[in-house]
Structures are given as C-alpha cells and as structure tokens.
Amino acid sequence: MNQRLDIFPLTKSAFAPFGDVIEADPATLRYINNGTTERFHALSAAEAVGEGARVIINLFRGQPRAFPYEVGMMERHPFGSQSFSPISGRPYLVVVSEDEGRPGRPRVFLARGDQGVNYRRNVWHHPLMSLGAASDFLVVDREGPGNNLEEYFFETPFIISEPIL
Ligand SMILES: NC(=O)N[C@@H](O)C(=O)O
Ligand code: NI
C-alpha cells in the first residue's frame, strides 16, 4: 500500500464525517450589537460526557512539524469533543481517520489560518500539527474523570510531504 498521504483543502463537506469546520460561514451570519458585530452562530458544539465532566478552554502553543512527517499514531477522546481555532493566523494540518475498529487510512487536510476544526467525540485524529513557526490555538475540550485519551500506533507509518502553502 502507498503510505504517502495526499493533502486536501479543508472544507465543511469533506470534514463532515469527522466534525465541524469553524469559519465565517455566511449561512450562519446574524448581525448583533446594534449591527456592529457579525455573529456566525452555532458553528459547532462542545461535548463533555460523564459525571463531573466539564468543558474547558485552553491555549495550545504548537511547535512546527518537520517534513517529510511520519504519521505513526492517531488518538481519540472517548468522553468529549476537541476543537482547535488558530490564533496566530497560520495554516496548519488536520489529520483524521474513519473508525474501522482501529483508525483507517488517515486523511490530511490543509486548514487556512482562519479555519478552526471541532473533532466530534471519539473521532480519530493526529495531535496538533502546526506549520512554519510556533502557533497558538484556542482549544475547547473536556476535563473530567476517566481516561479521555485512546491512542493507536500503526505498524507502518504513513508519510506526509511538505505542504505547499
Ligand atoms: N493531548 C492533548 O491535549 N492534545 C491532543 O489531544 C491533540 O489533539 O493535540
Ligand atoms: Ni486530541
């Protein structure tokens, strides 16, 4: 099998099996604050399940990945969603897999610096992949009891070549 992964643009429809894209979607636009603010309403929703669980807001500062990059593992969070919204304005990579009892072949999306993603609960994804320079992200996910991190390690890593920005 060809282990090299192609990179696709991040779009709402392509990402739909994995979660939501957080971007200024005109279909969600509401004018608020006496017309001085545009509200792009309910682009996604945070989920945190389990007694005593809560949704938390974090800042992640991701160091840039080097290429060619080996995707040797995927992870998922069984008890909650996880969203990443870029603050530094730089593009980044989003790597997700369908669940086949284990992660299927990863799919790689290039996200613009004005696009965030919300991984639905229990969706396989690779940890944050910043590009070019250390990049900050607002991250909304779940804190609470139980192990909210499941990891899977591939026998043969997949390869991502340097993205063309
Ligand atoms: N470990 C952690 O909080 N981050 C990962 O879940 C990630 O997806 O980057
Ligand atoms: Ni994660």
Side-chain angles (χ1 to χ4, degrees):
M1 177 170 37
N2 176 8
Q3 294 300 104
R4 189 164 297 278
L5 299 172
D6 292 329
I7 302 176
F8 298 91
L10 178 67
T11 65
K12 187 175 176 179
S13 54
F15 193 70
F18 309 103
D20 299 307
V21 176
I22 301 168
E23 61 184 348
D25 176 359
T28 68
L29 174 57
R30 297 178 180 180
Y31 285 96
I32 59 172
N33 301 341
N34 200 26
T36 64
T37 302
E38 294 174 306
R39 177 184 173 126
F40 296 92
H41 182 68
L43 298 172
S44 190
E47 190 179 7
V49 301
E51 185 67 30
R54 65 180 183 144
V55 173
I56 56 173
I57 300 174
N58 317 271
L59 193 64
F60 281 27
R61 179 161 294 162
Q63 293 304 314
R65 301 294 187 164
F67 293 87
Y69 183 81
E70 289 195 353
V71 178
M73 62 81 68
M74 299 290 272
E75 65 171 37
R76 63 181 178 180
H77 309 299
F79 300 126
S81 58
Q82 186 174 49
S83 76
F84 290 82
S85 296
I87 296 175
S88 304
R90 261 187 293 280
Y92 60 106
L93 291 184
V94 174
V95 184
V96 287
S97 294
E98 305 265 7
D99 184 39
E100 299 169 359
R102 53 173 175 68
R105 182 181 177 83
R107 295 171 61 187
V108 185
F109 296 102
L110 178 61
R112 298 191 315 261
D114 63 352
Q115 292 180 301
V117 290
N118 188 31
Y119 300 124
R120 208 170 287 123
R121 180 165 69 90
N122 225 26
V123 165
W124 290 110
H125 59 280
H126 187 277
L128 177 59
M129 292 194 70
S130 300
L131 296 175
S135 304
D136 287 357
F137 292 78
L138 190 76
V139 176
V140 179
D141 59 8
R142 181 256 193 204
E143 183 181 61
N147 177 12
N148 194 30
L149 175 62
E150 180 182 353
E151 296 177 310
Y152 179 91
F153 293 83
F154 294 116
E155 280 185 21
T156 309
F158 293 90
I159 307 295
I160 304 176
S161 300
E162 179 99 32
I164 300 166
L165 303 181

